[in-house]
Amino acid sequence: MTFAEAEAAIDEEGHRESELSPDGLARVYVSPEIEGWTLVIGPWCDPSNTDRSDEVLRLCADLSSRYGVAQAYYYGTQNDGSAWLIAEHGVVVRRYCETGEIDDGLLTLGQPLAQERVERQRMGLPPTWTENERNAEAEEKWKWRAFDMAPVIAASLGISPLARTQSMRVHGVGVLAKTPSPVR
């Protein structure tokens, strides 16, 4: 199964209610190995979903204990925002969400990544900030920029599914898989 076919199936599932997937979380796409990474793609992996954020955090920490690094991302292709969760060697290094939801600030963990600091400096903002500054007028520019940053963060730390090229090394085949836990 190709990424495009899986993306279409997961998108369709997420936009229609069915008995097998009332919340659109029943399936994910598991990519072939691409440049040493295996991608698991679908709403089930969303680190900003308040119903699943704790479980996604735990899964990333567990996977990073086993494989060294694990990451989870959300990127709303319809200007819905971005979120990233980075875990290394069993420890969550950073979780940041900018989706326009009131709970975004509550999900933030860790210090800004180098990529965040560089982008903020490029924008003329201080490289670091605190969550109590989140609603300050000066931070409004950052919020809008962060809405689109998940693919940038993913590409800089590993691989972004939006930056695939024909020259990338690929081993195996991708599959559409059922999620391992019951859908609530």
CSV table of all heavy atoms in Angstrom, one decimal, residues 21-52:
chain,number,residue,atom,x,y,z
A,21,SER,N,-15.1,2.4,13.8
A,21,SER,CA,-14.2,3.5,14.1
A,21,SER,C,-15.0,4.7,14.4
A,21,SER,O,-15.0,5.7,13.6
A,21,SER,CB,-13.2,3.7,13.0
A,21,SER,OG,-12.3,4.7,13.4
A,22,PRO,N,-15.7,4.8,15.5
A,22,PRO,CA,-16.6,5.9,15.8
A,22,PRO,C,-15.8,7.3,16.0
A,22,PRO,O,-16.4,8.3,15.8
A,22,PRO,CB,-17.3,5.6,17.1
A,22,PRO,CG,-16.4,4.6,17.7
A,22,PRO,CD,-15.7,3.8,16.6
A,23,ASP,N,-14.5,7.2,16.3
A,23,ASP,CA,-13.8,8.4,16.5
A,23,ASP,C,-12.6,8.6,15.5
A,23,ASP,O,-11.8,9.4,15.6
A,23,ASP,CB,-13.2,8.5,17.9
A,23,ASP,CG,-12.4,7.3,18.3
A,23,ASP,OD1,-12.1,6.5,17.5
A,23,ASP,OD2,-12.1,7.3,19.5
A,24,GLY,N,-12.5,7.7,14.5
A,24,GLY,CA,-11.5,7.8,13.4
A,24,GLY,C,-10.1,7.4,13.9
A,24,GLY,O,-9.2,7.7,13.2
A,25,LEU,N,-10.0,6.6,15.0
A,25,LEU,CA,-8.7,6.3,15.5
A,25,LEU,C,-8.4,4.8,15.3
A,25,LEU,O,-7.4,4.3,15.9
A,25,LEU,CB,-8.6,6.6,17.0
A,25,LEU,CG,-8.9,8.1,17.4
A,25,LEU,CD1,-8.8,8.2,18.9
A,25,LEU,CD2,-7.8,9.0,16.8
A,26,ALA,N,-9.2,4.1,14.6
A,26,ALA,CA,-9.0,2.6,14.5
A,26,ALA,C,-7.8,2.1,13.7
A,26,ALA,O,-7.3,1.0,13.9
A,26,ALA,CB,-10.3,1.9,14.0
A,27,ARG,N,-7.3,3.0,12.8
A,27,ARG,CA,-6.3,2.5,11.9
A,27,ARG,C,-5.2,3.6,11.7
A,27,ARG,O,-5.4,4.7,11.9
A,27,ARG,CB,-6.8,2.2,10.5
A,27,ARG,CG,-7.8,1.0,10.5
A,27,ARG,CD,-8.1,0.6,9.1
A,27,ARG,NE,-8.9,1.6,8.4
A,27,ARG,CZ,-9.3,1.4,7.1
A,27,ARG,NH1,-8.9,0.3,6.4
A,27,ARG,NH2,-9.9,2.4,6.5
A,28,VAL,N,-4.0,3.0,11.5
A,28,VAL,CA,-2.8,3.9,11.2
A,28,VAL,C,-2.1,3.3,10.0
A,28,VAL,O,-2.3,2.1,9.6
A,28,VAL,CB,-1.8,4.0,12.4
A,28,VAL,CG1,-2.4,4.7,13.5
A,28,VAL,CG2,-1.3,2.6,12.8
A,29,TYR,N,-1.3,4.1,9.3
A,29,TYR,CA,-0.4,3.6,8.3
A,29,TYR,C,1.0,3.4,8.9
A,29,TYR,O,1.5,4.3,9.5
A,29,TYR,CB,-0.3,4.6,7.1
A,29,TYR,CG,0.7,4.3,6.1
A,29,TYR,CD1,0.5,3.2,5.2
A,29,TYR,CD2,1.8,5.1,5.9
A,29,TYR,CE1,1.5,2.9,4.3
A,29,TYR,CE2,2.8,4.8,4.9
A,29,TYR,CZ,2.6,3.7,4.1
A,29,TYR,OH,3.5,3.4,3.1
A,30,VAL,N,1.5,2.2,8.7
A,30,VAL,CA,2.9,1.9,9.1
A,30,VAL,C,3.8,1.9,7.9
A,30,VAL,O,3.6,1.0,7.0
A,30,VAL,CB,3.0,0.6,9.9
A,30,VAL,CG1,4.4,0.4,10.4
A,30,VAL,CG2,2.0,0.7,11.1
A,31,SER,N,4.7,2.8,7.7
A,31,SER,CA,5.5,2.9,6.5
A,31,SER,C,6.5,1.8,6.4
A,31,SER,O,6.9,1.2,7.5
A,31,SER,CB,6.2,4.3,6.5
A,31,SER,OG,7.3,4.3,7.3
A,32,PRO,N,7.0,1.6,5.2
A,32,PRO,CA,8.3,0.8,5.2
A,32,PRO,C,9.4,1.6,5.8
A,32,PRO,O,9.2,2.8,6.1
A,32,PRO,CB,8.5,0.7,3.7
A,32,PRO,CG,7.8,1.8,3.0
A,32,PRO,CD,6.6,2.1,3.9
A,33,GLU,N,10.5,1.0,6.1
A,33,GLU,CA,11.6,1.8,6.6
A,33,GLU,C,12.1,2.8,5.6
A,33,GLU,O,12.4,2.4,4.4
A,33,GLU,CB,12.8,0.8,7.0
A,33,GLU,CG,13.9,1.6,7.6
A,33,GLU,CD,15.1,0.6,7.9
A,33,GLU,OE1,14.9,-0.4,8.5
A,33,GLU,OE2,16.2,0.9,7.5
A,34,ILE,N,12.1,4.1,5.9
A,34,ILE,CA,12.5,5.1,5.0
A,34,ILE,C,13.7,5.8,5.7
A,34,ILE,O,13.6,6.4,6.8
A,34,ILE,CB,11.4,6.1,4.8
A,34,ILE,CG1,10.1,5.5,4.3
A,34,ILE,CG2,11.9,7.3,3.9
A,34,ILE,CD1,8.9,6.3,4.3
A,35,GLU,N,14.9,5.7,5.1
A,35,GLU,CA,16.1,6.4,5.6
A,35,GLU,C,16.3,6.0,7.1
A,35,GLU,O,16.7,6.8,7.9
A,35,GLU,CB,16.0,7.9,5.5
A,35,GLU,CG,16.0,8.4,4.0
A,35,GLU,CD,17.4,8.2,3.3
A,35,GLU,OE1,18.4,8.4,4.0
A,35,GLU,OE2,17.4,7.8,2.2
A,36,GLY,N,16.0,4.7,7.4
A,36,GLY,CA,16.2,4.3,8.8
A,36,GLY,C,15.1,4.5,9.8
A,36,GLY,O,15.1,4.2,10.9
A,37,TRP,N,14.0,5.2,9.3
A,37,TRP,CA,12.9,5.5,10.2
A,37,TRP,C,11.6,4.7,9.7
A,37,TRP,O,11.4,4.5,8.5
A,37,TRP,CB,12.5,7.0,10.0
A,37,TRP,CG,13.5,7.9,10.7
A,37,TRP,CD1,14.6,8.4,10.1
A,37,TRP,CD2,13.5,8.4,12.0
A,37,TRP,NE1,15.3,9.2,10.9
A,37,TRP,CE2,14.6,9.3,12.1
A,37,TRP,CE3,12.6,8.3,13.0
A,37,TRP,CZ2,14.9,9.9,13.3
A,37,TRP,CZ3,12.9,9.0,14.2
A,37,TRP,CH2,14.0,9.8,14.3
A,38,THR,N,10.8,4.3,10.7
A,38,THR,CA,9.5,3.8,10.4
A,38,THR,C,8.5,4.8,10.9
A,38,THR,O,8.5,5.2,12.1
A,38,THR,CB,9.3,2.4,11.1
A,38,THR,OG1,10.3,1.5,10.7
A,38,THR,CG2,7.9,1.8,10.8
A,39,LEU,N,7.6,5.2,10.0
A,39,LEU,CA,6.6,6.2,10.3
A,39,LEU,C,5.3,5.5,10.6
A,39,LEU,O,4.9,4.6,9.9
A,39,LEU,CB,6.4,7.2,9.2
A,39,LEU,CG,7.7,7.8,8.6
A,39,LEU,CD1,7.3,8.7,7.5
A,39,LEU,CD2,8.4,8.6,9.7
A,40,VAL,N,4.6,6.0,11.7
A,40,VAL,CA,3.2,5.5,12.0
A,40,VAL,C,2.4,6.7,11.9
A,40,VAL,O,2.6,7.7,12.6
A,40,VAL,CB,3.1,4.9,13.4
A,40,VAL,CG1,1.7,4.4,13.7
A,40,VAL,CG2,4.1,3.7,13.5
A,41,ILE,N,1.4,6.7,10.9
A,41,ILE,CA,0.7,7.9,10.6
A,41,ILE,C,-0.8,7.7,10.7
A,41,ILE,O,-1.4,6.8,10.3
A,41,ILE,CB,1.0,8.3,9.1
A,41,ILE,CG1,2.5,8.6,8.9
A,41,ILE,CG2,0.2,9.5,8.7
A,41,ILE,CD1,3.0,8.7,7.5
A,42,GLY,N,-1.4,8.7,11.5
A,42,GLY,CA,-2.8,8.7,11.6
A,42,GLY,C,-3.2,9.4,12.9
A,42,GLY,O,-2.3,9.7,13.8
A,43,PRO,N,-4.5,9.8,13.1
A,43,PRO,CA,-4.9,10.6,14.2
A,43,PRO,C,-4.6,9.9,15.6
A,43,PRO,O,-4.5,10.6,16.6
A,43,PRO,CB,-6.4,10.8,14.0
A,43,PRO,CG,-6.6,10.5,12.6
A,43,PRO,CD,-5.6,9.6,12.1
A,44,TRP,N,-4.5,8.6,15.6
A,44,TRP,CA,-4.2,7.8,16.8
A,44,TRP,C,-2.9,8.3,17.4
A,44,TRP,O,-2.7,8.2,18.6
A,44,TRP,CB,-4.2,6.4,16.5
A,44,TRP,CG,-3.9,5.4,17.6
A,44,TRP,CD1,-4.9,5.0,18.5
A,44,TRP,CD2,-2.7,4.8,18.0
A,44,TRP,NE1,-4.3,4.2,19.4
A,44,TRP,CE2,-3.0,4.0,19.1
A,44,TRP,CE3,-1.4,4.9,17.5
A,44,TRP,CZ2,-2.0,3.3,19.7
A,44,TRP,CZ3,-0.4,4.2,18.1
A,44,TRP,CH2,-0.7,3.4,19.2
A,45,CYS,N,-2.0,8.8,16.6
A,45,CYS,CA,-0.6,9.2,17.1
A,45,CYS,C,-0.5,10.7,17.5
A,45,CYS,O,0.6,11.1,17.9
A,45,CYS,CB,0.4,9.0,16.0
A,45,CYS,SG,0.4,7.3,15.3
A,46,ASP,N,-1.6,11.4,17.5
A,46,ASP,CA,-1.6,12.9,17.7
A,46,ASP,C,-1.2,13.2,19.1
A,46,ASP,O,-2.0,12.9,20.1
A,46,ASP,CB,-3.0,13.4,17.4
A,46,ASP,CG,-3.2,14.9,17.6
A,46,ASP,OD1,-2.2,15.6,18.0
A,46,ASP,OD2,-4.3,15.4,17.3
A,47,PRO,N,-0.1,13.9,19.3
A,47,PRO,CA,0.3,14.3,20.7
A,47,PRO,C,-0.5,15.4,21.3
A,47,PRO,O,-0.3,15.7,22.5
A,47,PRO,CB,1.8,14.7,20.5
A,47,PRO,CG,1.9,15.2,19.1
A,47,PRO,CD,0.9,14.3,18.4
A,48,SER,N,-1.3,16.1,20.5
A,48,SER,CA,-2.1,17.2,21.0
A,48,SER,C,-3.5,16.8,21.3
A,48,SER,O,-4.3,17.6,21.8
A,48,SER,CB,-2.1,18.4,20.0
A,48,SER,OG,-2.7,18.0,18.8
A,49,ASN,N,-3.9,15.6,21.0
A,49,ASN,CA,-5.3,15.1,21.3
A,49,ASN,C,-5.4,14.9,22.8
A,49,ASN,O,-4.8,14.0,23.4
A,49,ASN,CB,-5.5,13.8,20.5
A,49,ASN,CG,-6.9,13.2,20.8
A,49,ASN,OD1,-7.4,13.3,21.9
A,49,ASN,ND2,-7.5,12.6,19.8
A,50,THR,N,-6.2,15.8,23.5
A,50,THR,CA,-6.2,15.7,24.9
A,50,THR,C,-6.7,14.4,25.5
A,50,THR,O,-6.4,14.0,26.6
A,50,THR,CB,-7.1,16.9,25.5
A,50,THR,OG1,-8.4,16.8,24.9
A,50,THR,CG2,-6.4,18.2,25.2
A,51,ASP,N,-7.5,13.6,24.7
A,51,ASP,CA,-8.0,12.3,25.1
A,51,ASP,C,-6.8,11.3,25.1
A,51,ASP,O,-6.9,10.3,25.8
A,51,ASP,CB,-9.1,11.8,24.3
A,51,ASP,CG,-10.4,12.6,24.5
A,51,ASP,OD1,-10.6,13.2,25.5
A,51,ASP,OD2,-11.2,12.6,23.5
A,52,ARG,N,-5.9,11.5,24.2
A,52,ARG,CA,-4.8,10.5,24.0
A,52,ARG,C,-3.4,11.0,24.3
A,52,ARG,O,-2.5,10.3,24.3
A,52,ARG,CB,-4.8,10.0,22.5
A,52,ARG,CG,-6.0,9.2,22.2
A,52,ARG,CD,-5.9,8.3,21.0
A,52,ARG,NE,-4.5,7.8,20.8
A,52,ARG,CZ,-3.9,6.8,21.4
A,52,ARG,NH1,-4.6,6.1,22.3
A,52,ARG,NH2,-2.7,6.4,21.1
